């Protein structure tokens, strides 16, 4: 399930990534726009990793850790999840440590995952939800030809906007 881009490696996360996942998922800048229970310690991060591994095994999610090529530490994550019952639609989710913002890295990762979703998983649509105040995320998905969908609501997340990309 490894994907590569010009500058990045996208790979399965596992127990060796506990500290990286803790750093990413508890980052205050990232969490300004994401409502979630952030890990408080290595144990919480490990539990998250084990959950993701189980969901990956069951094909409920495709979840990649993002690292710079030839580096082991993760700088972000990206996933396809929340599949429709007919497996034709999925949601993309992503996060990147702030020190790597503005370098086109998430754009590279997103392009690879969209390609995987449409060509390997044969998805027909990919959804993206982002906080209406997260300008960087909105620019990213619009740059990849997602279209704003006013008629889709992200239940429980009133500040989120819905975007869709069709094959």
């Amino acid at each position: 399930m490894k994907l590569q881009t010009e500058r990045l490696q996208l790979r399965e996360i596992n127990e060796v990534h506990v500290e990286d996942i803790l750093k990413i998922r508890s980052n205050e800048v990232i969490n300004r726009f994401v409502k979630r229970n952030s890990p408080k310690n290595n144990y919480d991060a490990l539990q998250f990793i084990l959950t993701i591994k189980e969901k990956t095994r069951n094909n409920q999610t495709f979840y990649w850790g993002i690292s710079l090529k030839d580096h082991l530490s993760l700088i972000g994550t990206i996933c396809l999840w929340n599949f429709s019952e007919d497996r034709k639609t999925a949601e993309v989710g992503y996060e990147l440590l702030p020190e790597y913002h503005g370098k086109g890295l998430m754009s590279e990762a997103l392009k690879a995952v969209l390609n995987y979703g449409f060509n390997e998983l044969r998805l027909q649509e990919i959804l993206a939800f982002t906080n209406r105040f997260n300008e960087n995320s909105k620019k990213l998905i619009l740059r990849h030809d997602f279209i704003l969908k006013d008629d889709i609501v992200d239940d429980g997340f009133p500040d989120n906007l819905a975007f869709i990309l069709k094959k």
Side-chain angles (χ1 to χ4, degrees):
M1 208 174 72
K2 243 184 210 183
L3 302 176
Q4 288 199 32
T5 70
E6 183 182 332
R7 299 178 289 171
L8 301 172
Q9 242 184 22
L10 281 64
R11 61 172 163 254
E12 190 175 339
I13 63 166
N14 60 45
E15 292 82 351
V16 302
H17 298 117
V18 167
E19 290 183 15
D20 294 336
I21 291 298
L22 177 62
K23 183 177 179 183
I24 294 164
R25 291 188 60 84
S26 64
N27 184 278
E28 288 180 22
V29 173
I30 294 170
N31 287 336
R32 274 193 321 220
F33 301 115
V34 182
K35 280 185 171 179
R36 64 175 168 208
N37 292 326
S38 298
K40 307 281 186 266
N41 52 44
N42 284 358
Y43 178 80
D44 292 348
L46 177 61
Q47 292 308 304
F48 174 78
I49 290 169
L50 295 175
T51 299
I52 290 301
K53 284 179 70 171
E54 180 67 21
K55 288 182 176 188
T56 299
R57 251 190 312 277
N58 295 332
N59 288 323
Q60 291 176 279
T61 189
F62 291 82
Y63 196 98
W64 295 270
I66 302 169
S67 64
L68 297 171
K69 269 194 180 166
D70 303 322
H71 288 80
L72 294 176
S73 61
L74 303 180
I75 61 171
T77 67
I78 190 166
C79 65
L80 290 168
W81 70 293
N82 202 12
F83 287 83
S84 61
E85 208 170 295
D86 63 6
R87 305 284 291 185
K88 291 184 179 179
T89 301
E91 185 178 332
V92 65
Y94 47 83
E95 57 196 345
L96 188 67
L97 289 170
E99 55 265 35
Y100 297 97
H101 289 182
K103 300 176 187 319
L105 296 170
M106 189 53 79
S107 191
E108 259 183 61
L110 182 58
K111 182 178 178 185
V113 168
L114 293 175
N115 182 56
Y116 184 84
F118 287 129
N119 296 316
E120 300 298 322
L121 300 179
R122 303 283 186 239
L123 294 171
Q124 297 300 306
E125 301 176 336
I126 297 178
L127 291 165
F129 292 94
T130 192
N131 186 291
R132 70 179 67 254
F133 304 109
N134 190 339
E135 295 301 325
N136 289 337
S137 183
K138 289 190 298 189
K139 285 178 192 170
L140 171 71
I141 54 182
L142 289 171
R143 200 175 310 122
H144 287 272
D145 300 321
F146 280 79
I147 307 286
L148 178 64
K149 292 292 287 180
D150 290 328
D151 59 328
I152 299 175
V153 176
D154 194 5
D155 291 330
F157 301 93
D159 286 333
N160 279 1
L161 298 173
F163 294 83
I164 193 164
L165 180 64
K166 295 183 183 220
K167 185 170 183 172

